[in-house]
Structure formats: structure tokens, C-alpha cells
Amino acid sequence: MTSSRFPPVGDIRVLVQIARRASAGRGGVVLVTGEAGIGKTTLVRAVVPELEAPR
């Protein structure tokens, strides 16, 4: 089930949006879960440069 409240899995833009909201004081939670070796750390590390980039 996908809705505007629950965006598609694996979309880095969603993680960036939530992180920016949190840094603006509007909180949010993301749970990145899955089996070992599927790229959870890689996905989260990909968000950091996006947050450091100018908007």
C-alpha cells in the first residue's frame, strides 16, 4: 500500500525530505531494515551528500 504518507521504498528523495524536515524542527522517523548485505548502510550514506548540497 502506497500513499503520500508512505512513499515508495528505496526512494532517496524521501529520506532527504524527512532529514531536512527533522533539521528544520519538524521531526520524522525512517526505519531502514532488511537482511544483511542488501545495502542499508549504502542507502543511508547516500543521503549525507544530498543534505550537504545547497537547495
Side-chain angles (χ1 to χ4, degrees):
M1 176 179 178
T2 301
S3 72
S4 60
R5 189 165 175 222
F6 301 103
V9 173
D11 191 339
I12 191 170
R13 293 173 298 174
V14 173
L15 294 177
V16 171
Q17 253 183 337
I18 292 168
R20 285 191 173 144
R21 285 181 191 161
S23 68
R26 292 179 287 172
V29 174
V30 175
L31 176 63
V32 179
T33 184
E35 296 180 27
I38 64 167
K40 297 177 300 288
T41 301
T42 302
L43 176 65
V44 172
R45 284 182 178 160
V47 172
V48 173
E50 294 292 326
L51 293 174
E52 293 173 343
R55 292 185 224 182

